Amino acid sequence: MSDNQLEQFRAETKQWLEANCPESMRRPIQEEDDVCWGGRNFKFQSDDQKAWLDRMAERGWTTPTWPKEYGGGGLSREEAKVLKEEMKNIGARPPLTSFGISMLGPALLKFGTHEQKQEHIPKIVRGEIRWCQGYSEPNAGSDLASLGTKAEDKGDHFLINGQKIWTSYADKADWIFCLVRTGPKEPKHTGISFILFDMESKGVSTKPIKLISGYSPFCETFFDDVEVPKANLLGELNKGWTIAKYLLTHERAMIGDMGLPAPLTPMARECVGVDSNNQLQDKALRADLAAHEIDGLAFALTMERAGDEAKAGASLGAFSSMLKYYGTELNKSRHELILKLKGSDALEWEGQASQNGKIAKQWLRTKANSIEGGTSEVMLNIVSKRILELPDA
Amino acid sequence: MALVLTEEQTLLKDSASGFFAERSPISSLRDLRDSYDSQGYKSDLWQEMAEMGFTSLLLSEDEGGTGFGFVGAGIVAEEMAKTLAPSPFIASSIVATSLLKATKNAHLSDVASGQKIATLAVDETGHHSPYTPKTTSDSDGKVSGNKTFVPEGKAADFVIVTADRPGGFALYLVEKDATGFSAEQTIMADSRGWAKLSFDNTPATLLASGDAAKAILANALSKANIILSAELLGLSQAAFDMTVNYLKERKQFGQIIGTFQSLQHRAAHMFSEIETTRSIVLAALQAADSKDVDDQRLAIMASAAKARASKMAELVSNEAIQMHGGIGMTDEYDIGFFIKRARAVQNLYGGYHYHLDRFASLNGY
Ligand SMILES: Cc1cc2nc3c(=O)[nH]c(=O)nc-3n(C[C@H](O)[C@H](O)[C@H](O)COP(=O)(O)OP(=O)(O)OC[C@H]3O[C@@H](n4cnc5c(N)ncnc54)[C@H](O)[C@@H]3O)c2cc1C
């Protein structure tokens, strides 16, 4: 695409966004309720939130680079970058956030049949079906491949029995993408299949688990003689591990991508105070803040570089594990820093002044960043084996 | 601008990499050190670098240069650092060239061609404090004072000196045979061509004065620190590669030490520090070439890059020795050269805390 065409695309996009992004959708996401997850039972916060989703979905811009054939935007990476920049310029919120977009979609597009794509992709694009991820089990966390939930071949369907855990939003999701054991006698990585099914199927039940942050975003999920049609298998039987890993690279890139967060300077100046040189009173904290902001800048530029390298044809592969490790550890230290800037006020848990402990709860939520989607230790294992090629014990 | 090298830049990287590996392996620095060479680099290597066009990267083709700009200069600095090749590249072809260019000085072409060596003499104590020199000059331009930690100070044909002049700050140019000027070699940990300079009523040419001189110096120091960040990146990458290779060779407890997870994780962590530094260094180099980046923004990028690269280099150079065990402490093994050079580069034109402080101030806190 020539620079001219790209500039024209930019101009048109700007104009369209200006005309179609409701004013109230141009404010930063403040809390969980501001996020549009979509799904059968989703309650829109406002008419604006629904209009914004519908307008973007109609153009496929909820998933800008996905093929037009299945309802996606069909944009090139360059165009998608322009769209992202123009949205950022007016402060537009993402119209839709979902595991369908960030996790399942890329795997479906790569491994799904035409029929499977036709059935599922448009509903993801339009936010009609909300997906959850059934990977982890009580005894299969970091060692995911030792999972035991089994799927038995019953001729025209699979019969699924077992338990998942830490299933984010399982109680709100419509469908689940799930790892199941179909080859009990095969070595652990080669007996796993990747299967999709409706959470309303008979025999599926969920039980919410409360987090240290007080939120309850995830569940135990039980399968008791759940019948799933054979056509719901994604990819080949016993080849699910490859798909699972492919999906994880997308998940990791997403979790790691904290973007370039807003500078903490205004909060620091307000909470810590400045001296006659216009510097923060607390010099030690000032140095910590500067070091953190520099790390944040270096990381945001690294995300950008990884994107640019992908555009130039490089594959991200295990580099996504480095990004996940670095981005999540950085986000944790950012929230520790916020706690230091605010002092004891940051620990208020209830009451109006603290908006019911918003800062404390967000701080605690970030502790999960380096666990969910694969722990930091596991990311370091992957970098050392796959990138540095250090040997196994 | 995309954060990737263009095809031309990749070619430059490949040719620089091959050139330094062949023409100036680490043994070359070791030879210079062991022979107590006072020049601090080998003239034939410098000559060849000039022929490769490395001395005139900052000049456009119209100005008689190679037109690669700062991204190109960063590439050369990074590759040069991988073999710790000693040369006046940074002092002369980057810092002095930036200053001579900004002051439209006639010596520029001789310096860019590599025929003459120039350097900046700015520090007076072990701490970088560029805008408040104790060195003075009278209104006739006679300079008196002392400078320390001057790169290639012994070899330089011209020295650009900061001084306090009646009416304000000034930048002067002093020729090496000017009266009252003397340069004394300082042997430092990294075995490079450092010197202490003294000026006693030394006649000098005024290059710039007042706020204009400060702005010119600030701009040149920002650019210098960005190139030094590239040097830190290159030497850290090389020390890291040597270390990872060692982890794959050395056996203890009947196994390759690279199978130990505590070492694997530390190596993987270093990798992440190196790669995030690589991004900020490239972005800073592009900023130095961009006409749309103002001095304030350039200074922010320079301090961010230098602070980041310094912290990363400190980590990597320390871990490199630790992971080599006893052999890492021996002079015979090359890894020690990296930590010594790292600390010198970290210190030059402001270390980690200097740049953290500057970054905070520039960002309004
Ligand atoms: C907020 C949140 C949301 C989540 N959402 C989902 C979801 O939607 N779907 C889903 O399937 N799962 C989800 N998870 C689960 C998550 O993927 C697992 O918690 C994670 O993979 C770790 O597994 P585990 O909890 O069993 O910990 P363990 O594997 O038991 O780890 C315990 C500790 O041991 C370390 N460890 C384990 N193995 C190694 C090793 N080889 N080397 C070094 N250290 C090691 C770990 O790093 C960790 O520090 C979620 C988790 C959280 C916290």
Side-chain angles (χ1 to χ4, degrees), chain A residues 1 11 16 30 49 106 119 121 126 133 166 169 183 206 217 230 238 274 276 303 318 329 353:
Chain A
M1 166 164 293
W16 187 88
Q30 292 283 355
Q49 192 182 40
E119 183 187 349
I121 300 280
R126 294 195 299 263
Q133 177 186 37
W166 322 128
Y169 307 112
T206 60
K230 283 250 175 101
N238 289 341
V274 290
S276 58
M303 289 299 296
E329 294 297 339

Side-chain angles (χ1 to χ4, degrees), chain A residues 286 295 302 308 325-326 381, chain B residues 3 265 269 279 308 357 364:
Chain A
R286 175 175 178 263
D295 287 348
T302 305
D308 289 340
Y325 162 67
Y326 206 88
N381 285 345
Chain B
L3 282 173
H265 282 193
H269 174 70
S279 313
R308 193 89 221 321
D357 175 68

